């Protein structure tokens, strides 16, 4: 069964460093998302992406964040200058298309900022 | 006001018994979708079941069913014949309206299944 994959599974970085989290959505899915979950808290929406552009973003998704679909399969989240409070599990998700609401999540990348 | 409320921080159920996890939602938009996800201790988010606001029948997926009571704005997850592997966090989520497709999550319920 096709699934969303994410790499790396765990990333440790120093405050102020740039990180890129990678996702490969399910092929033929058209809508892509990033969510995050700070330890012990609920999942929060960051950004949605469709047709090579951001369709919606939350207040969390400030200028430090960017997303890109560099080729036909990868979908990346970049954090330019990480802060301690960026430590969280980051989930990528994808959705097939307009007739389907289900979002399928990847296994997540645990980001630890020291 | 919270858009998604899960009032049970933790639930216990014996193996093979059924359990209901509560979820209430708050929206004035007539078009919305309700989701349940399972998060095992390993951390991944597993999609379980979906209910659209216009769906006439309650959604079912194997041992999972969604008890959708529109007037009460509740979308409880029922797990029948619980298994030890069902022990996990369970999150209710909502997509509100047709303009957005972001999911709004509740705080989750930790389910523990005991033998």
């Amino acid at each position: 069964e096709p699934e969303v994959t994410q790499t790396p599974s765990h990333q440790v970085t120093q405050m102020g460093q740039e990180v890129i989290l990678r996702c490969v959505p399910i092929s033929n899915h058209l809508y892509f998302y990033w969510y995050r979950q700070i330890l012990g808290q609920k999942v929060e929406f960051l950004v949605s992406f469709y047709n090579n552009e951001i369709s919606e973003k939350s207040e969390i998704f400030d200028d430090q964040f960017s997303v890109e679909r560099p080729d036909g399969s990868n979908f990346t989240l970049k954090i330019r200058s990480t802060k301690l409070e960026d430590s969280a599990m980051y989930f990528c998700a994808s959705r097939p298309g307009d007739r389907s609401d289900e979002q399928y999540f990847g296994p997540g990348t645990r980001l630890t900022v020291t | 006001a919270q858009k998604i409320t899960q009032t049970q921080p933790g639930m216990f159920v014996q193996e093979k018994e059924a359990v209901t996890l509560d979820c209430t939602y708050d929206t004035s938009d007539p078009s919305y979708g309700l989701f349940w996800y399972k998060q095992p201790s390993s951390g991944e988010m597993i999609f379980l079941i979906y209910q659209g606001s216009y769906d006439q029948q309650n959604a079912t997926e194997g041992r999972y069913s969604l008890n959708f009571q529109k007037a009460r704005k509740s979308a409880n997850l029922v797990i029948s014949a619980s298994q030890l592997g069902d022990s996990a966090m369970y999150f209710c989520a909502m997509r509100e309206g047709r303009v957005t497709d972001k999911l709004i999550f509740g705080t989750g319920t930790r389910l523990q299944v005991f033998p």
Side-chain angles (χ1 to χ4, degrees), chain A residues 30-77:
Chain A
L30 301 177
Y31 296 82
F32 315 112
Y33 310 85
W34 284 100
Y35 291 82
R36 80 171 186 192
Q37 184 183 31
I38 294 171
L39 188 63
Q41 298 187 22
K42 60 183 173 182
V43 178
E44 301 172 290
F45 169 78
L46 292 178
V47 66
S48 57
F49 192 87
Y50 169 70
N51 201 24
N52 279 322
E53 59 183 29
I54 291 173
S55 45
E56 187 175 2
K57 59 183 180 179
S58 71
E59 292 174 353
I60 303 167
F61 194 88
D62 61 21
D63 293 344
Q64 293 298 314
F65 291 87
S66 62
V67 290
E68 196 177 33
R69 189 156 162 82
D71 52 43
S73 58
N74 290 283
F75 179 50
T76 62
L77 174 70

Side-chain angles (χ1 to χ4, degrees), chain A:
Chain A
E1 189 170 327
E3 56 185 22
V4 177
T5 60
Q6 290 185 243
T7 54
S9 56
H10 192 189
Q11 172 102 39
V12 181
T13 189
Q14 288 192 324
M15 198 166 53
Q17 295 296 304
E18 174 184 287
V19 294
I20 298 176
L21 310 183
R22 291 183 165 79
C23 168
V24 178
I26 296 172
S27 67
N28 80 358
H29 281 199
L30 301 177
Y31 296 82
F32 315 112
Y33 310 85
W34 284 100
Y35 291 82
R36 80 171 186 192
Q37 184 183 31
I38 294 171
L39 188 63
Q41 298 187 22
K42 60 183 173 182
V43 178
E44 301 172 290
F45 169 78
L46 292 178
V47 66
S48 57
F49 192 87
Y50 169 70
N51 201 24
N52 279 322
E53 59 183 29
I54 291 173
S55 45
E56 187 175 2
K57 59 183 180 179
S58 71
E59 292 174 353
I60 303 167
F61 194 88
D62 61 21
D63 293 344
Q64 293 298 314
F65 291 87
S66 62
V67 290
E68 196 177 33
R69 189 156 162 82
D71 52 43
S73 58
N74 290 283
F75 179 50
T76 62
L77 174 70
K78 183 194 289 187
I79 310 175
R80 265 181 266 284
S81 177
T82 50
K83 308 185 193 81
L84 293 176
E85 54 264 37
D86 293 328
S87 294
M89 181 77 100
Y90 287 80
F91 291 103
C92 173
S94 69
R95 177 166 75 89
D98 287 335
R99 293 194 175 275
S100 175
D101 273 343
E102 292 91 336
Q103 293 183 23
Y104 295 90
F105 281 63
T109 292
R110 181 165 297 286
L111 177 65
T112 302
V113 182
T114 61

Side-chain angles (χ1 to χ4, degrees), chain B residues 1-100:
Chain B
Q2 294 290 325
K3 291 284 185 180
I4 293 286
T5 302
Q6 295 181 256
T7 56
Q8 307 154 314
M11 290 284 285
F12 287 90
V13 66
Q14 190 164 33
E15 207 177 1
K16 299 178 188 171
E17 296 294 309
V19 63
T20 298
L21 306 184
D22 294 343
C23 173
T24 57
Y25 59 92
D26 181 26
T27 182
S28 56
D29 200 301
S31 176
Y32 53 89
L34 298 158
F35 304 75
W36 278 92
Y37 286 86
K38 173 184 177 181
Q39 187 177 43
S41 57
S42 49
E44 71 267 35
M45 294 285 287
I46 302 167
F47 167 74
L48 295 178
I49 197 165
Y50 166 79
Q51 179 87 41
S53 59
Y54 295 117
D55 293 343
Q56 295 295 316
Q57 295 192 325
N58 287 346
T60 60
E61 287 286 347
R63 294 186 298 110
Y64 304 108
S65 61
L66 201 151
N67 184 0
F68 181 43
Q69 298 190 42
K70 203 167 180 175
R72 292 186 176 185
K73 293 189 175 178
S74 75
N76 298 340
L77 177 70
V78 180
I79 306 174
S80 63
S82 298
Q83 301 170 358
L84 295 177
D86 293 335
S87 295
M89 280 291 286
Y90 288 80
F91 290 96
C92 180
M94 175 174 67
R95 174 198 51 76
E96 184 178 23
R98 294 309 309 182
V99 176
T100 178

